[in-house]
Amino acid sequence: MPFVSKNNMLVSTINGTGAVIEAIYVLTFIIYAPKKEKAKFIGLLTLVLTTFAGVALVSLVVLHGKSREIFCGFAAAIFSIIMYGSPLSIMVRQVTLIFFTVYLLFLAEKRESYSL
């Protein structure tokens, strides 16, 4: 961002566009979600925004120069890994469930072949 380093218009544009698109996704979810899911999501959103504000505050108040660039770079890398890795956690559960189901079917078939 401009307060981290100079001459980064492309990065600012890409990140700003991504933030706007994700904000549209979030607002759409909040509008159409059931009340129970909406309350849970708003709690998580509050946690995320608080964490972001904390990172931005530390970056602006405590760090200066190169240390600010390094801190913001690491924060961006960590949050990007979390963002892209979170769907994988759901996929791991689903794949595990599929393999477990196939394994149980295989055991049931094996058991039937022994009883004949």
Side-chain angles (χ1 to χ4, degrees):
M1 291 298 155
F3 58 84
V4 177
S5 65
K6 297 177 184 174
N7 301 323
N8 59 5
M9 183 58 93
L10 184 60
V11 173
S12 297
T13 304
I14 291 170
N15 287 339
T17 304
V20 168
I21 291 170
E22 288 186 32
I24 292 169
Y25 292 155
V26 168
L27 288 174
T28 304
F29 179 80
I30 289 174
I31 290 169
Y32 293 108
K35 284 192 178 206
K36 184 178 178 184
E37 293 293 321
K38 192 181 296 190
K40 180 180 173 184
F41 183 76
I42 289 175
L44 287 172
L45 182 62
T46 303
L47 176 69
V48 168
L49 291 176
T50 303
T51 303
F52 174 76
V55 168
L57 190 64
V58 166
S59 172
L60 289 173
V61 175
V62 178
L63 302 171
H64 303 287
K66 196 68 170 170
S67 60
R68 179 184 289 172
E69 289 180 22
I70 292 171
F71 177 76
C72 289
F74 274 116
I78 289 168
F79 291 125
S80 293
I81 291 169
I82 291 170
M83 181 180 69
Y84 289 114
S86 62
L88 293 177
S89 66
I90 295 170
M91 287 177 55
V92 166
R93 279 188 262 159
Q94 291 299 322
V95 169
T96 303
L97 180 64
I98 290 169
F99 281 132
F100 184 68
T101 305
V102 169
Y103 180 69
L104 287 178
L105 289 173
F106 175 74
L107 284 180
E109 191 175 292
K110 211 57 158 152
R111 188 171 165 225
E112 287 177 9
S113 66
Y114 285 134
S115 63
L116 292 175

